[in-house]
Amino acid sequence: MPTYKAPVDDTLFILNDVLNLGQHAHLEGFAEASPDLVEAILSEGARFAEGVLQPLNTTGDEEGCSRADDGAVTAPAGFKDAYDTYREGGWMGLDVSTDHGGQGLPSFLNTALSEFVSSANMAWAMYPGLTKGAIAALDHHASDELKAKYLPSMVAGDWTGTMNLTEPHCGTDLGLIKTKAQPNGDDSYAISGTKIFISAGDHDLSDNIIHLVLARIEGAPEGVQGISLFVVPKFLVGDDGVPGERNGVGCGALEKKMGIHGNATCVMNYDGATGWLVGEENKGLRAMFTMMNEARLGVGVQGLSQSEVAYQNAVVYAKERLQGRALTGAKEEDKAADPIIVHPDVRRTLMTIKAWNEGGRALVMWTALHGDLSRLSNDEAERQASDDYMGLLTPVVKGVLTDVGFDNAVNAQQMFGGHGYIREWGMEQFVRDARIAMIYEGANGIQALDLVGRKLPRDGGRAIMAFFKEVGEFIEANGADETLAPFIGGLKAGAEDLQKATMWFMQNAMAKPDNAGAGSVDYMHLFGLVAVGYMWARMAKAAQEKLAAGEGNSDVWKTKLVTGRFFMERMMPETRLRLKRISTGSDTMMELDAELF
């Protein structure tokens, strides 16, 4: 059976020593998030993930969700009890405003905890995870009346939430949405249509489910300009705040799917269901994208989470599995063979995953911190800069960490040989669960197009220029430090390749847009390498300082430095390959007629 240990110490190192949370202690929310409280919250969250959720991961996958004839969906055994524990612990409201009954702490805490929870049980984690996104969308865009009606119970965890975008004929191109919203003559609408692939669409974990649904009001403009967002509860809520009559919405079917079996992926049928407008008419995408951006960061964390738990189990196996002898001679002569961790290629695989996990975790936390600063900073320039970074980094976190996370899960499975293909070891579940993260909340090819087509040119390239400036200043400030030479050299080379790729798009994509489309995925991964490389350089600096000061366990800091050097030596040079691919353009890619494929 697989195991899991939450990386609390590594997360605290990133937050306290690399990102220096203490410098923000004067800000609302951050003031309450003292180092002791942050450690206590992460430690308690780790215990919940390890002790409650992880034991349910395999059984939840094997049992899956079930649907009764009346459409009611039941989650796997133990999921409701786990959710009750989560709800009673107040975890849902951790980073929600106190105005709605939350604790008002910064969102980086929830992001860190979401890694632990997803590593332990990704399917279960999606139930509260989607609710957090729905809370954010309502908080930002709903009327005060709707907020008062729904948010307190959602923040308390009594009710959960979903997002309903996709339709049978319509995925990425939301302008094709057909779900209709007919005015009822009061302030409500009758919602009719079918949505598919709705995660946590129905279940028995909470007393009510609050669906956020994209639909088109009768007479609205065609395309995305005519889409509105509605809140549609499973049970209509009376003036007393108590769920009552069943609304005209239900689960028509459960999808049979590759992974995340413990989460109910539903076909949702809306048959004149009563809903209420969130925000302005025909401005639904703006409101929904508040939830989408939260979800995309969360999905990037899912990619990291499956990479981490797969790595942990692969390391245990590599230390125990005896097979062959070390190339330099027997290491354990009293045994019939050496453990496979003595073999260079096994170490290459494990070091690659380890380097991505630790660098990716730092990138996630850095991005989440900018999200908090974009809302909580009392400096307008800092708020704007952090908001720019969030827009720039979200597609990179989502696309790169889910692509790499899946690859890492597969490579960790490879460490088990044939045993990795057998269910009892748990590795094949990590592979199956990781695969969806590359697809939902905007497939990774779309993330790359969003990065190149929207985020780079936005505001005259302000965000990407700020990133180049920050990285350049770090390189200049630390260039004379010989202990950081392997990191500064690699980061500088990677940043130069990223700048060249950015300039190539500026010179070649405007007149020929296919050039941008052809190079977008390579650019996203090139950006990811540089962003993670920047995190590694910052982690190396912090680790060197602790080593020099004699703080903590020196083996931890030495291991961190070796892992970072491995990233710089083995992964960072890939930036040159990505640059070369980008600069070949789109001619060969687009040359063949469709019938020749």
Side-chain angles (χ1 to χ4, degrees), residues 146-451:
L146 290 179
K147 290 179 185 179
K149 194 167 193 175
Y150 295 105
L151 284 180
S153 293
M154 295 175 74
V155 172
D158 297 332
W159 302 347
T160 54
T162 71
M163 56 192 299
N164 288 237
L165 291 82
T166 307
E167 300 181 3
H169 61 284
C170 165
T172 300
D173 190 353
L174 294 175
L176 301 176
I177 280 176
K178 294 181 179 179
T179 298
K180 297 179 181 179
Q182 180 75 32
N184 285 328
D186 50 19
D187 62 345
S188 69
Y189 294 77
I191 311 298
S192 298
T194 297
K195 299 288 185 177
I196 64 171
F197 305 155
I198 308 306
S199 300
D202 198 78
H203 53 80
D204 61 341
L205 303 189
S206 62
D207 297 334
N208 204 355
I209 302 174
I210 311 305
H211 303 289
L212 294 187
V213 184
L214 288 181
R216 195 180 300 280
I217 298 174
E218 185 179 25
E222 295 296 320
V224 295
Q225 293 81 12
I227 297 174
S228 299
L229 180 64
F230 299 86
V231 57
V232 186
K234 176 180 178 178
F235 295 101
L236 297 172
V237 180
D239 293 337
D240 58 0
V242 176
E245 180 185 352
R246 178 67 187 259
N247 206 353
V249 53
C251 173
L254 283 175
E255 300 289 359
K256 297 182 174 75
K257 55 192 190 290
M258 178 178 176
I260 53 171
H261 294 157
N263 193 268
T265 305
C266 301
V267 176
M268 299 300 295
N269 295 323
Y270 291 84
D271 185 13
T274 304
W276 288 265
L277 182 67
V278 176
E280 301 177 45
E281 285 189 15
N282 306 327
K283 302 292 185 183
L285 278 188
R286 182 175 63 182
M288 182 59 87
F289 267 101
T290 297
M291 188 172 186
M292 287 286 285
N293 285 333
E294 292 245 347
R296 286 173 174 173
L297 179 60
V299 172
V301 172
Q302 288 181 342
L304 169 64
S305 74
Q306 297 310 287
S307 178
E308 174 65 28
V309 69
Y311 165 78
Q312 289 188 18
N313 284 274
V315 168
V316 171
Y317 187 82
K319 291 179 178 179
E320 295 176 349
R321 175 65 168 174
L322 302 180
Q323 201 84 173
R325 289 296 190 187
L327 298 177
T328 54
K331 301 302 181 186
E332 298 193 15
E333 295 182 353
D334 59 327
K335 296 180 180 178
D338 290 327
I340 63 173
I341 201 167
V342 304
H343 303 306
D345 193 60
V346 169
R347 286 174 168 251
R348 175 192 62 82
T349 300
L350 295 176
M351 285 290 287
T352 297
I353 305 174
K354 178 178 173 64
W356 270 113
N357 288 352
E358 295 179 19
R361 182 172 299 116
L363 178 60
V364 163
M365 297 314 302
W366 186 52
T367 304
L369 176 60
H370 278 299
D372 281 322
L373 294 176
S374 72
R375 296 185 295 270
L376 301 175
S377 176
N378 49 24
D379 182 289
E380 183 176 351
E382 185 176 48
R383 287 199 307 273
Q384 181 64 70
S386 288
D387 188 64
D388 287 348
Y389 264 170
M390 276 294 290
L392 183 69
L393 293 171
T394 297
V396 177
V397 169
K398 196 282 184 185
V400 173
L401 292 189
T402 59
D403 276 353
V404 172
F406 176 74
D407 288 345
N408 287 347
V410 171
N411 289 330
Q413 181 190 35
Q414 186 76 10
M415 295 297 91
F416 287 71
H419 295 290
Y421 203 66
I422 304 303
R423 178 167 293 184
E424 69 177 281
W425 291 90
M427 303 304 290
E428 57 86 34
Q429 183 188 349
F430 301 143
V431 172
R432 288 186 288 105
D433 286 354
R435 186 63 183 88
I436 185 58
M438 303 162 71
I439 299 172
Y440 61 14
E441 307 307 343
N444 286 354
I446 299 299
Q447 301 299 323
L449 287 173
D450 176 50
L451 174 64

Side-chain angles (χ1 to χ4, degrees), residues 467-531:
F467 177 78
F468 287 143
K469 182 174 183 292
E470 179 172 341
V471 173
E473 288 175 348
F474 181 88
I475 291 171
E476 183 176 359
N478 296 279
D481 188 341
E482 293 185 1
T483 65
L484 294 179
F487 299 92
I488 298 301
L491 178 60
K492 183 177 181 181
E496 288 174 351
D497 287 340
L498 182 60
Q499 289 176 313
K500 290 176 182 177
T502 306
M503 185 61 67
W504 192 91
F505 278 141
M506 292 175 62
Q507 296 171 343
N508 294 277
M510 291 293 291
K512 194 172 184 179
D514 279 343
N515 281 332
S520 59
V521 169
D522 280 300
Y523 186 89
M524 179 179 72
H525 280 277
L526 171 51
F527 199 133
L529 285 162
V530 175

